[in-house]
Amino acid sequence: MKVAVLGYGTVGFGVYEMLKQAEGLEAGPVLVRPGKDDEPFKVSSIEQITEDASVDVVAEVMGGVEPAFSYACAALKAGKHFVTSNKALVAAKGPELAKLAKDKQVGFLFSAACGGGVPFLHNLSLAVQSDEILSVGGILNGTTNYMLDQMQSTGMSYADALSDAQKLGYAEADPTADVTGLDALRKIMLACAVAFNVLPVDGLLHEGIDSFSAADSSYIQSKGLTCRLIASGGKAENGSIYAFVEPVLFERDAAECSVLKNFNMAKYNGKNSGRIVMIGQGAGRWPTASAVLRDCSDISCGRRFMMKPSCEAGSADNACCAHRYLVRIPAGIAFPLPVEACEEADGVSYCRTGEVSVSAMHEAVNKLRADGNSVFFAAIGE
Amino acid sequence: MKVAVLGYGTVGFGVYEMLKQAEGLEAGPVLVRPGKDDEPFKVSSIEQITEDASVDVVAEVMGGVEPAFSYACAALKAGKHFVTSNKALVAAKGPELAKLAKDKQVGFLFSAACGGGVPFLHNLSLAVQSDEILSVGGILNGTTNYMLDQMQSTGMSYADALSDAQKLGYAEADPTADVTGLDALRKIMLACAVAFNVLPVDGLLHEGIDSFSAADSSYIQSKGLTCRLIASGGKAENGSIYAFVEPVLFERDAAECSVLKNFNMAKYNGKNSGRIVMIGQGAGRWPTASAVLRDCSDISCGRRFMMKPSCEAGSADNACCAHRYLVRIPAGIAFPLPVEACEEADGVSYCRTGEVSVSAMHEAVNKLRADGNSVFFAAIGE
């Protein structure tokens, strides 16, 4: 099977190199920007790929919703299978692309969009055929895991951890999507679509690590706990889907504590298979390219869908998920939800709440912040 | 696709139940022992399955090499795909079955034979198509992990841990294959076959946990380490394959330390994908049945092989793999390999060796034991 590649940046280069050596796959043309087509294998217009009858698969590793979406539609309409690493594209246009692929009887896979090199969505889409998935989630953003690991293992400040991550290429110049938890949220949306056949597009909640301080790190460690940024998705008893991102505190022997540096961890809980956990590199040239190649091999074996054509956009209901939280607020402020214990230190209070719903917690914190208060919070993991 | 099941024990029951609810799959007849065919869906002779044109896949969950091998050949010759959870069968007859499947243009998959519910071999066989696998391994036996976890978290004796495991159904009445590491060895043989296209059948080495005492557990913990039974396989620089099982000591933040109870952990290191770790239930009705069902779904998607038809039996070379070891010998005995430090306590010496090859270590220990000495050893994990 001949695979054309859209994009020749960090990941595109890796995909093309791996294609040249993969069994059963042939490296096709690579789409680059006009003027950059300085080698025979590079082309500068999408038509040179969609109108090439010898191309079987189009692998998009450009990022962003446009022009990736237009290219994806063109490829599918031309009867070519579509593989992508682009989470923004799939989060925004996934169901539409799945329906188009079905009409044209071709495949649409996106392993690399969630978990990078970790084969999470692949395994999830296989598991759903014979098992009921109860929940999905994990550590889905390498930037923030790197920063949390650095802060908690060395005591460095948030600013130093961010700068360190940027130097190593683990964080963008503008790290907003990562540190606010938005990147992890997009990934859990995709996991929910695969696991529950619903792409949750509203009612979503996300809290990142941008309020986590070295003092918080120190306090948490003194309690024998470790903080990780966790994306969670699942089916509540009433049938609705929950999907959110927030920091979570774990005891020492939790698998999450062994996820260091920029690694990712993806979990699912199947009714029959039980809990399956996968840990690996969530980003980077070769791990991400590996995931794209695995999808291409999968297409050649006959696999067609991760997101079913019947998948529709829907709402998340984060009122149905509840747990206890640790919250750090300025000393003297009363927390508006039930609190079981508080400890004061250096002008702040660390409080443990009773069981409160995710939506109630995020709402309460947003109100306090709107009033100018500095707040950090994390779920207490069980 | 209609799936017939050979065996109706713990796992067979689970497979049949799951088949009734799986999408794209239909539950076929179940082969039981003569006289046990007391319900319409049960049959008592293999011919009732192999001569049934409506059956597409035969799933064997009986265990043991015969009659499973004869049944496997009959099914493949009748043009039916063959899925199995039977590691003894695949370790003994895998390459022969792969060639027969190829001749008949049908599939042969065995996810459940290694890692139970953990989708290890499935992901490995997908990864090899586009990546070079450098090493495979992990915690592949739930019985011994349960016992090690119990001994190290509660201080209980080996005998109590074994009895505890047996009560919970995590250990057989005759636990020999598990506690000697033989079960884990068979699983790493299969992983090597999938990863390196060589089924290592001699030169293999295995050390289990049957020499691990509560005193050893106490000593190891006092050093801040945790012991796990690890199966390892890989390609050495000279191109030969190593494959062995031995206890290994880990620091607190290693992923292996988060693998508790009877869970399994399977790892592989791909040149491009990096290290991928998967943790889940290695045994039990529903996790194992889930793996069998995933293979059936995979067959219906077009996947055909985990072990390629070109896979041949070969030799393992465990002289090419070296590391440092902790070894406990009777006080006053000299250890025949280079030792860097020793600590005496209660009539025994705990010694740390320099870098020694796996084969040299196992050989040295076997000699000491042949002379009647009680010895425990574990690799010091890096």
Side-chain angles (χ1 to χ4, degrees):
Chain A
M1 291 186 57
K2 194 175 195 179
V3 183
V5 188
L6 310 186
Y8 199 55
T10 304
V11 177
F13 177 92
V15 172
Y16 188 70
E17 287 305 302
M18 287 185 71
L19 277 170
K20 288 191 282 186
Q21 296 167 52
E23 49 178 80
L25 300 173
E26 188 191 336
V30 178
L31 181 70
V32 298
R33 292 206 187 86
K36 300 281 186 182
D37 50 337
D38 50 7
E39 284 171 272
F41 68 90
K42 295 177 183 172
V43 299
S44 56
S45 79
I46 186 66
E47 290 76 22
Q48 284 169 285
I49 285 171
T50 56
E51 287 165 18
D52 181 342
S54 73
V55 168
D56 302 295
V57 183
V58 169
E60 182 267 313
V61 292
M62 294 161 29
V65 180
E66 282 293 3
F69 178 61
S70 298
Y71 292 171
C73 292
L76 290 167
K77 283 174 182 163
K80 298 179 191 320
H81 306 285
F82 185 68
V83 168
T84 178
S85 63
N86 189 337
K87 58 189 131 359
L89 172 67
V90 184
K93 302 288 189 183
E96 205 172 326
L97 292 173
K99 287 174 180 57
L100 183 48
K102 183 184 184 189
D103 281 347
K104 296 291 177 184
Q105 295 180 56
V106 288
F108 168 42
L109 303 180
F110 45 92
S111 279
C114 175
V118 181
F120 181 41
L121 296 186
H122 169 82
N123 284 284
L124 205 50
S125 71
L126 181 60
V128 298
Q129 291 176 62
S130 59
D131 198 1
E132 185 189 339
I133 307 299
L134 305 171
S135 64
V136 292
I139 298 168
L140 302 179
N141 179 273
T143 304
T144 45
N145 200 69
Y146 181 82
M147 290 173 64
L148 286 172
D149 185 24
Q150 286 296 91
M151 288 177 75
Q152 291 173 96
S153 56
T154 71
M156 66 167 67
S157 69
Y158 176 93
D160 285 347
L162 174 56
S163 156
D164 198 19
Q166 284 165 327
K167 282 196 200 95
L168 287 167
Y170 294 155
E172 313 271 344
D174 177 2
T176 311
D178 295 305
V179 301
T180 58
L182 182 59
D183 176 81
L185 186 72
R186 286 183 182 129
K187 290 163 176 171
I188 200 71
M189 288 166 66
L190 301 193
C192 286
V194 174
F196 312 116
N197 209 30
V198 174
L199 176 70
V201 296
D202 44 59
L204 299 159
L205 293 170
H206 66 100
E207 170 74 12
I209 65 162
D210 43 342
S211 297
F212 187 58
S213 71
D216 296 326
S217 173
S218 191
Y219 177 83
I220 281 162
Q221 280 193 278
S222 74
K223 303 297 178 187
L225 301 170
T226 303
C227 183
R228 292 288 184 260
L229 186 66
I230 302 296
S232 302
K235 222 187 273 184
E237 277 170 28
N238 63 2
S240 47
I241 304 294
Y242 60 83
F244 58 87
V245 176
E246 55 188 18
V248 182
L249 307 181
F250 294 93
E251 303 269 353
R252 267 304 203 69
D253 63 3
E256 284 80 353
C257 297
S258 74
V259 182
L260 309 178
K261 303 288 178 201
N262 67 329
F263 275 66
N264 279 194
M265 183 185 97
K267 294 164 73 153
Y268 71 86
N269 187 6
K271 193 164 168 217
N272 292 307
S273 65
R275 292 177 195 278
I276 303 286
V277 171
M278 301 179 190
I279 302 171
Q281 293 244 291
R285 163 177 286 169
W286 301 112
T288 309
S290 299
V292 174
L293 270 278
R294 288 195 303 258
D295 276 355
C296 294
S297 296
D298 229 12
I299 291 272
S300 73
C301 282
R303 185 169 298 282
R304 293 289 173 263
F305 291 105
M306 283 180 171
M307 185 183 285
K308 295 179 198 170
S310 57
C311 182
E312 297 290 351
S315 294
D317 175 7
N318 287 318
C320 59
C321 208
H323 30 254
R324 300 153 111 238
Y325 285 88
L326 176 78
V327 58
R328 183 257 299 151
I329 49 180
I333 301 278
F335 194 68
L337 296 174
V339 154
E340 292 186 352
C342 274
E343 265 185 70
E344 264 201 47
D346 301 321
V348 299
S349 294
Y350 285 99
C351 301
R352 283 173 193 254
T353 72
E355 285 246 334
V356 298
S357 77
V358 174
S359 45
M361 186 65 188
H362 287 239
E363 191 181 326
V365 171
N366 287 341
K367 283 202 177 118
L368 283 173
R369 285 174 176 159
D371 290 342
N373 295 295
S374 170
V375 182
F376 165 74
F377 74 98
I380 298 171
E382 61 298 316
Chain B
M1 289 185 60
K2 194 175 196 180
V3 183
V5 186
L6 310 186
Y8 199 55
T10 304
V11 177
F13 177 90
V15 171
Y16 188 68
E17 288 303 303
M18 286 186 71
L19 277 169
K20 288 190 284 188
Q21 296 168 52
E23 48 179 81
L25 299 173
E26 187 190 335
V30 178
L31 180 70
V32 298
R33 288 203 190 90
K36 300 281 184 183
D37 52 336
D38 51 7
E39 283 171 274
F41 68 90
K42 295 177 184 171
V43 299
S44 57
S45 79
I46 186 68
E47 290 76 22
Q48 284 168 287
I49 284 171
T50 55
E51 287 165 15
D52 181 342
S54 71
V55 168
D56 302 293
V57 182
V58 169
E60 182 268 313
V61 292
M62 293 161 29
V65 180
E66 282 292 3
F69 178 60
S70 297
Y71 292 169
C73 292
L76 291 166
K77 283 174 184 163
K80 297 173 190 327
H81 306 284
F82 185 68
V83 167
T84 179
S85 62
N86 188 337
K87 58 190 129 4
L89 171 68
V90 183
K93 303 288 187 183
E96 204 171 328
L97 292 173
K99 287 172 178 60
L100 183 48
K102 182 182 183 188
D103 281 347
K104 296 293 177 181
Q105 296 181 57
V106 289
F108 167 43
L109 302 180
F110 44 92
S111 279
C114 174
V118 181
F120 181 41
L121 296 186
H122 169 82
N123 284 283
L124 206 49
S125 70
L126 181 60
V128 298
Q129 290 176 62
S130 59
D131 198 0
E132 186 188 340
I133 306 301
L134 305 171
S135 63
V136 292
I139 298 167
L140 302 180
N141 179 273
T143 305
T144 45
N145 200 67
Y146 181 82
M147 290 172 63
L148 286 172
D149 185 24
Q150 286 296 91
M151 288 177 74
Q152 291 174 95
S153 56
T154 70
M156 66 166 66
S157 69
Y158 177 92
D160 285 346
L162 174 56
S163 156
D164 198 19
Q166 285 165 328
K167 283 196 200 96
L168 287 167
Y170 294 156
E172 314 272 346
D174 176 3
T176 311
D178 295 304
V179 302
T180 59
L182 182 59
D183 176 81
L185 186 72
R186 286 183 182 128
K187 289 163 176 171
I188 200 72
M189 287 165 66
L190 301 192
C192 286
V194 175
F196 312 117
N197 209 30
V198 173
L199 177 70
V201 296
D202 44 60
L204 300 160
L205 293 169
H206 65 100
E207 171 74 10
I209 65 163
D210 43 344
S211 296
F212 187 59
S213 70
D216 296 327
S217 173
S218 192
Y219 177 83
I220 281 163
Q221 279 193 283
S222 74
K223 302 297 178 187
L225 300 171
T226 304
C227 182
R228 293 286 184 259
L229 187 65
I230 302 295
S232 302
K235 222 188 274 187
E237 276 170 25
N238 63 4
S240 45
I241 304 295
Y242 59 84
F244 57 87
V245 175
E246 56 189 18
V248 181
L249 307 181
F250 295 93
E251 303 271 352
R252 268 303 203 68
D253 64 3
E256 285 81 354
C257 297
S258 74
V259 182
L260 309 177
K261 303 287 177 203
N262 66 329
F263 276 67
N264 278 193
M265 182 184 98
K267 295 165 71 151
Y268 70 86
N269 187 6
K271 193 165 168 216
N272 292 307
S273 64
R275 290 174 195 281
I276 302 286
V277 170
M278 303 180 187
I279 302 171
Q281 293 244 292
R285 162 177 287 167
W286 301 112
T288 308
S290 300
V292 174
L293 271 275
R294 286 194 306 258
D295 276 355
C296 294
S297 296
D298 229 11
I299 292 273
S300 73
C301 283
R303 185 169 298 280
R304 292 290 173 261
F305 291 104
M306 284 180 172
M307 187 184 284
K308 294 181 201 170
S310 57
C311 181
E312 298 290 352
S315 295
D317 175 7
N318 288 317
C320 60
C321 209
H323 31 254
R324 301 153 110 236
Y325 285 89
L326 176 77
V327 56
R328 182 258 299 152
I329 47 179
I333 300 279
F335 194 68
L337 298 174
V339 153
E340 291 184 355
C342 274
E343 266 184 71
E344 264 201 45
D346 302 321
V348 299
S349 293
Y350 286 98
C351 302
R352 284 175 192 253
T353 70
E355 285 248 332
V356 297
S357 78
V358 174
S359 46
M361 186 65 189
H362 286 238
E363 193 182 324
V365 171
N366 287 341
K367 282 203 179 116
L368 283 173
R369 285 173 176 159
D371 289 340
N373 295 295
S374 169
V375 182
F376 165 74
F377 73 99
I380 298 170
E382 60 300 314

